[in-house]
Amino acid sequence: MADIIETAVAAGTFGTLATALTAAGLIDTLKGTGPFTVLAPTDDAFAKIPASDLEALLADKAKLTAVLTYHVVAGNVPAATVVTLTEAATVEGSHIAIAVVDGGVVLNGNSHVTATDIAASNGVIHVIDTVLMPPAK
């Protein structure tokens, strides 16, 4: 079975995420033992960010790392568990709010989970339609 990075790249809809993970130096981490739960924004999710803002984010390794690690939860958290939670602690250190709305999972009130439980050798991927931004410190 492929790891989280290989699984995401093979899907073909996470090119921007792969580019961002490379820029932040997080590829090796997410190829590690884990397990990790990755809330993976699609290319369309990244496209919602104005181009100039996205370019600035990709150029700021510290901020980029914070944003990306805000999309990772330690451990393997399947969808069946996610729907029982009201929040989850991220690797970045902040929490993500979780709500079940009309049968779907919404994160931080604006990002919808569009696919769940994509298995990888070192964790699981849940696909989201909006990039999550960590709260200001």
Side-chain angles (χ1 to χ4, degrees):
M1 181 179 284
D3 64 32
I4 285 173
I5 297 297
E6 294 160 347
T7 302
V9 169
T13 53
F14 301 105
T16 307
L17 178 59
T19 298
L21 289 167
T22 301
L26 293 172
I27 294 289
D28 287 343
T29 301
L30 289 178
K31 283 182 153 296
T33 308
F36 305 106
T37 298
V38 175
L39 305 166
T42 60
D43 291 337
D44 288 344
F46 276 102
K48 292 179 181 180
I49 299 172
S52 59
D53 294 352
L54 183 58
E55 287 172 23
L57 180 62
L58 290 170
D60 183 341
K61 187 173 179 181
K63 185 172 183 184
L64 181 62
T65 299
V67 168
L68 293 172
T69 55
Y70 189 63
H71 288 77
V72 180
V73 175
N76 189 334
V77 187
T81 301
V82 172
V83 298
T84 68
L85 304 173
T86 57
E87 67 176 21
T90 69
V91 171
E92 180 266 345
S94 302
H95 287 80
I96 293 172
I98 301 169
V100 177
V101 179
D102 296 329
V105 174
V106 180
L107 307 175
N108 287 352
N110 69 343
S111 184
H112 296 83
V113 177
T114 59
T116 61
D117 295 340
I118 299 168
S121 62
N122 60 344
V124 64
I125 300 170
H126 302 307
V127 181
I128 60 175
D129 69 355
T130 303
V131 176
L132 301 167
M133 293 296 173
K137 297 270 185 204

